[in-house]
Amino acid sequence: MKQERLFRLIQYIYLNGKTSAQTLSDELEVSPRTIYRDVDSLILSNVPILSTKGKNGGISLDSNYVIDRNYLNDSEQGSLLDLLYGFKTITGREDVLLEKCRLVNDVRPH
């Protein structure tokens, strides 16, 4: 349960940028204190997460942080590529994301 919450916390910040502990606690349905404990756990695990107090403060990830391509297993990567190929078929245009996925995964076009 905690690992899933930590993953969701990182994912939320990665997608939404700097946010407050209260917003994260509302999103993850835990107390702000639990969020602070989770942030401490992530810092101890060498995740480049930052916590700034005061006005304009919040919880964020280092701007250079990227999620490893192993973030998705092979099956999930395949599903995502199928979705992108479907997008190409419907719209008639190649998405930049599809090309990046091809390069990262060394995938040949259908």
Side-chain angles (χ1 to χ4, degrees), residues 2 6 31-42:
K2 181 178 178 179
L6 292 175
S31 71
R33 181 67 196 126
T34 298
I35 296 299
Y36 289 121
R37 281 193 298 268
D38 287 351
V39 166
D40 288 342
S41 294
L42 291 168

Side-chain angles (χ1 to χ4, degrees), residues 45-104:
S45 298
N46 294 320
V47 174
I49 194 164
L50 311 167
S51 179
T52 310
K53 293 182 180 182
K55 187 177 180 180
N56 298 321
I59 299 169
S60 61
L61 286 167
D62 183 295
S63 61
N64 295 319
Y65 181 72
V66 292
I67 295 178
D68 189 325
R69 70 176 257 202
N70 293 323
Y71 170 72
L72 300 174
N73 65 34
D74 290 342
S75 175
E76 292 167 332
Q77 288 178 25
S79 295
L80 182 58
L81 285 170
D82 288 344
L83 180 66
L84 290 172
Y85 280 115
F87 175 79
K88 177 183 172 188
T89 301
I90 292 169
T91 63
R93 68 181 177 90
E94 182 97 359
D95 191 272
V96 174
L97 183 58
L98 178 58
E99 188 58 34
K100 285 182 179 182
C101 286
R102 280 192 197 134
L103 293 173
V104 168

